[in-house]
Amino acid sequence: MQSQASTMHLENQHRAPAWGAVFALSFGAFALVASEFLPVSLLTPIARDLHITEGQAGQGISVAGAFALVTSLFITAIAGRIDRKTILLTFTGIMIASGTLVALSPNYTTFMVARALVGIAIGGFWSMSAATAMRLVPLANVPQALAIVNGGNALATVIAAPLGSFLGSIIGWRGAFFFIVPVAALVFVWQAISLPPLKAVQRDEPGKVLTLLTRPVVALGMAAVSLFFMGQFSLFTYLRPFLETITRVDASSLSLILLLIGLAGFLGTTLIGKLIKKSVYKALVVSPFIMAAIALLLVSFGGGKATATVLLGFWGLIGTSAPVAWWTWLSRTLPNDVEGGGGLMVAVVQLAVTSGAITGGLLYDHVGYQATFGASAVMLVASCVLAVLTSRASSRE
C-alpha cells in the first residue's frame, strides 16, 4: 500500500501550489473559531432568553470542546476511504446547521445539541487541516500554508468576542449566531470550487491513533504541546480580572489591550512560517521559555499599564504563532499518518486548554494571581524542557 507521505509527494509533484484552497481552509478556520467562542460575549442575553443561568449558558463552550475532543480521536477511522474534500465540505455543512439551529433554539436542550454539532465540525476540521495543507502545496511551502490556515484562527480570536457583543446589541444574540451562517455558506462555496479531489490514502481502525504514542518522539512531543497549552491558558483565561484589579485599566483600555494581543498574534502567524522552515525545534524550545519569562515579569511589573501592555503584546505575538510550529513538527514527525497525528494533537490541545483553565482558576480564586502566573511559568518551562527532549528523540530516530 502506498504511504500517505509518498502519495502526497506524488500529488504535489504534478500540481502547482493551490493557494486558493489554502485560503479557503483559513477562512473555514476563522468561521469555526468564531462560532466556537461567540457565546463568551453573549452569555447574559442567552441565559435570559432561554431562562437558564449564565453558568449553564457557558456550558455551550464546554460541550463544543468535549465533542471536538471525541471527534478528533475517531474521525480518521469513521471517515474511512471517503474523499477528504467531501469530508471537509460535510464539516462546513454541519457548521451551517449548527449556526441555524442555535439561532432558532426554542430551549436549552436544542441550544446544547447545536453547540455539540459545532464541536464535531471543529474536531474534524482541525484533525484534517495539517494533512490537507500538506497535499495542497509542495513540501517546502508547508510551514507557510500552515501559518495561513492558523491565521484564520488568529483573526477569529481578534474579532469574535467584540463582534459577538456588537452584533448582539444590534440584532440580538440569535442574530449574532446566524451571522456566521452566510459566512460559513461562503466558505462552503469557496472550498467546493478551490479544493481538488483528495482521495483517502489510508484507513485507521478506531483507537489506532493512540498507538502513535508508543514512539518516544511522539509521546514527548505531545506532552510538550500539552504543557504549552496548559501554561498558556492557565494565564490567558484570567487576563481580564488581572488587568482590571492589578493593572487597573478601564473598559476602553482593556479592549485596546486585548485587541493588541490579537493583532500581535495575527502578525506572528504571518511571520513564523518563514522562521521555522529550517529550525522548527528552535521555535518549539524558545517560544515557551520567553512566555514563561513574560508570565513572571507580569507578576513583578504588571501593575504598570505601559509595561503590562508591552509584555502582553509579546505574549500574543509568540503564543498565537507557536501552534504553527507544533503543526509543522507534526507534519515532519508523522508524514505517514498526519491525519491520525492531527486527531491526537487536537485531542491533546482540547484537554490541555480545559485543564489549564481549571488549574489557573482554582489558583486564582484560592491563592492569588501570583500563583496562577507562577504555575503558568512552571508549565511553560516544562514544555521547553520536553521540547528539547523531543528534539533529541527525533535525532535518535
Side-chain angles (χ1 to χ4, degrees):
M1 180 181 293
Q2 197 173 36
S3 74
Q4 189 176 32
S6 61
T7 300
M8 288 187 288
H9 174 73
L10 290 172
E11 285 180 329
N12 295 344
Q13 193 175 29
H14 301 289
R15 179 186 295 152
W19 291 115
V22 172
F23 278 101
L25 291 178
S26 180
F27 195 20
F30 166 80
L32 273 172
V33 174
S35 298
E36 183 178 12
F37 292 108
L38 265 183
V40 171
S41 56
L42 297 169
L43 291 184
T44 301
I46 291 172
R48 183 171 58 247
D49 192 24
L50 296 180
H51 306 292
I52 56 177
T53 66
E54 291 186 357
Q56 289 175 309
Q59 295 307 310
I61 298 175
S62 302
V63 73
F67 274 81
L69 189 156
V70 174
T71 303
S72 65
L73 288 175
F74 296 99
I75 184 57
T76 55
I78 295 172
R81 309 300 298 181
I82 303 173
D83 189 295
R84 273 22 184 179
K85 176 179 179 177
T86 302
I87 296 295
L88 288 169
L89 289 174
T90 299
F91 289 136
T92 306
I94 291 173
M95 176 169 51
I96 294 172
S98 171
T100 304
L101 193 57
V102 167
L104 300 176
S105 294
N107 51 50
Y108 182 55
T109 300
T110 307
F111 173 77
M112 292 297 279
V113 169
R115 294 301 297 168
L117 286 176
V118 82
I120 292 172
I122 291 165
F125 173 85
W126 283 113
S127 297
M128 295 188 169
S129 61
T132 303
M134 287 181 69
R135 298 176 68 177
L136 295 174
V137 299
L139 186 61
N141 297 117
V142 167
Q144 185 180 356
L146 292 174
I148 291 172
V149 173
N150 279 273
N153 176 18
L155 184 61
T157 61
V158 176
I159 69 172
L163 178 65
S165 179
F166 174 72
L167 291 175
S169 65
I170 297 176
I171 56 178
W173 72 269
R174 295 178 184 274
F177 273 98
F178 193 75
F179 179 82
I180 297 295
V181 173
V183 175
L186 182 58
V187 170
F188 185 93
V189 173
W190 191 353
Q191 290 178 347
I193 295 172
S194 63
L195 282 172
L198 298 166
K199 293 182 180 180
V201 293
Q202 67 181 60
R203 181 190 178 103
D204 287 338
E205 297 300 324
K208 182 183 175 183
V209 64
L210 296 177
T211 64
L212 295 173
L213 293 173
T214 58
R215 286 181 58 188
V217 66
V218 176
L220 287 168
M222 291 298 172
V225 75
S226 176
L227 283 165
F228 174 82
F229 278 95
M230 282 184 67
Q232 182 181 18
F233 280 88
S234 65
L235 185 152
F236 184 74
T237 306
Y238 304 98
L239 268 185
R240 177 166 182 165
F242 168 78
L243 290 170
E244 289 176 337
T245 59
I246 305 302
T247 312
R248 297 187 182 281
V249 300
D250 55 25
S252 59
S253 296
L254 174 65
S255 298
L256 285 174
I257 292 173
L258 294 176
L259 179 62
L260 172 65
I261 295 172
L263 291 174
F266 184 70
L267 175 63
T269 60
T270 64
L271 298 176
I272 196 170
K274 296 180 180 179
L275 297 177
I276 60 180
K277 275 188 177 181
K278 294 183 179 179
S279 182
V280 65
Y281 278 108
K282 187 175 292 184
L284 299 181
V285 172
V286 172
S287 295
F289 183 81
I290 295 176
M291 291 174 69
I294 293 173
L296 296 177
L297 288 171
L298 283 171
V299 173
S300 301
F301 305 105
K305 182 177 176 180
T307 304
T309 300
V310 171
L311 289 172
L312 290 173
F314 280 105
W315 176 278
L317 180 75
I318 298 168
T320 308
S321 59
V324 179
W326 277 112
W327 280 108
T328 302
W329 165 82
L330 179 76
S331 69
R332 295 178 182 177
T333 304
L334 294 169
N336 296 327
D337 200 354
V338 186
E339 287 187 359
L344 182 60
M345 176 89 86
V346 172
V348 166
V349 170
Q350 290 286 344
L351 219 72
V353 169
T354 302
S355 301
I358 292 172
T359 302
L362 290 172
L363 290 172
Y364 200 99
D365 288 341
H366 298 288
V367 184
Y369 78 92
Q370 298 94 333
T372 296
F373 285 28
S376 170
V378 169
M379 287 184 274
L380 288 165
V381 169
S383 175
C384 175
V385 173
L386 284 170
V388 172
L389 295 177
T390 304
S391 176
R392 293 178 179 176
S394 177
S395 298
R396 285 195 295 270
E397 285 193 4

